Amino acid sequence: MFLLGAMAAAAFMTPPARIPTLAPRHTAAPASTTASVPPRCRNWNLRAPSLRSSMRSTAVVPLQSETDLDSALGAKRLVFVELYGSRCRKCFSVMGKFNLLAEQHTQPETVAFTQIACDKVTNVAERVGVRKVPTFQVYLDGEKVDELVGLEAVPVVTKKIRQLVKEWVDLVSAEQRRVQASEAQRVIDEYNAPDGSAQPKEGADCGPEGCEIVWD
């Protein structure tokens, strides 16, 4: 009896074995991991300063009003205009290519690249007649001469943007070279005029290499 009583007391005092529990198959991610996800992975949050600043280029001029548009068209002979939406994924996907082309082809006296946020500057968007974004327009001497609407996939759109810019920049550059060559030939012809009309004026800058020729 004593032995049975001791065994019963020992069994009562021993704690029961712990039953293992199964972890749920799907657990929610900790709240702290959300902040480490890049903005573009969370519904393309374009308000993130790091994302927006990375897409800016000093070679591209943002237009905020119709006055800005008129000034840009009047200041440069060839003007490229990118029309985009501030919440358009494709617009920001192709913007990097447009900025790169601007840095490569901007010419201080001739070629300019500009941007218009259609959902923020609605009056300018209505004036240029944009219906879908992204849209790229080309202006020559203040008149719209070409337009590209980026409805295809991003790689196709970026390729077309490059072709569009190269075509018009090459065209204007070739025309400038023809004008310069024509002007140079005119000067040569006048200098070699047989009637002697190309004569230095009184007080012209004359040196050991000859006199500066001045025409009326």
Side-chain angles (χ1 to χ4, degrees):
M1 291 295 293
F2 177 78
L3 180 60
L4 292 176
M7 293 176 63
F12 178 78
M13 296 178 63
T14 301
R18 187 173 182 179
I19 301 175
T21 58
L22 296 177
R25 297 182 62 184
H26 302 284
T27 59
S32 60
T33 60
T34 306
S36 62
V37 180
R40 61 178 179 274
C41 297
R42 294 204 312 272
N43 197 25
W44 200 272
N45 183 10
L46 299 180
R47 293 182 179 178
S50 59
L51 185 62
R52 294 182 60 127
S53 60
S54 64
M55 294 180 178
R56 296 174 182 169
S57 172
T58 56
V60 180
V61 181
L63 304 181
Q64 306 292 341
S65 64
E66 292 190 60
T67 303
D68 291 347
L69 177 62
D70 292 334
S71 298
L73 298 181
K76 303 295 177 64
R77 181 155 189 228
L78 181 63
V79 179
F80 296 93
V81 182
E82 178 187 23
L83 300 125
Y84 70 97
S86 59
R87 288 286 178 179
C88 170
R89 289 190 179 190
K90 182 180 289 187
C91 296
F92 283 85
S93 297
V94 301
M95 187 176 291
K97 183 65 175 180
F98 186 79
N99 293 346
L100 179 61
L101 291 169
E103 294 173 357
Q104 294 174 346
H105 297 288
T106 294
Q107 299 177 17
E109 302 297 332
T110 310
V111 184
F113 289 76
T114 64
Q115 288 175 336
I116 300 175
C118 296
D119 53 340
K120 296 182 178 180
V121 193
T122 55
N123 58 333
V124 178
E126 292 175 359
R127 171 178 166 180
V128 299
V130 62
R131 292 290 179 267
K132 296 181 181 295
V133 291
T135 293
F136 301 87
Q137 296 180 347
V138 184
Y139 290 81
L140 182 63
D141 295 329
E143 298 293 334
K144 186 171 73 173
V145 293
D146 208 342
E147 182 176 272
L148 169 65
V149 181
L151 299 181
E152 296 90 346
V154 170
V156 178
V157 176
T158 54
K159 182 178 180 180
K160 288 187 174 182
I161 295 171
R162 182 180 62 82
Q163 293 173 345
L164 180 75
V165 171
K166 187 176 185 302
E167 175 184 352
W168 282 101
V169 170
D170 289 347
L171 180 64
V172 171
S173 298
E175 184 178 352
Q176 285 181 330
R177 288 193 295 269
R178 287 195 299 269
V179 171
Q180 292 172 355
S182 177
E183 180 64 18
Q185 186 61 45
R186 183 189 68 81
V187 172
I188 293 174
D189 292 343
E190 290 188 1
Y191 182 79
N192 295 327
D195 57 357
S197 58
Q199 297 295 330
K201 288 188 174 182
E202 183 179 355
D205 185 13
C206 294
E209 297 181 356
C211 297
E212 178 186 3
I213 306 300
V214 181
W215 293 276
D216 291 329

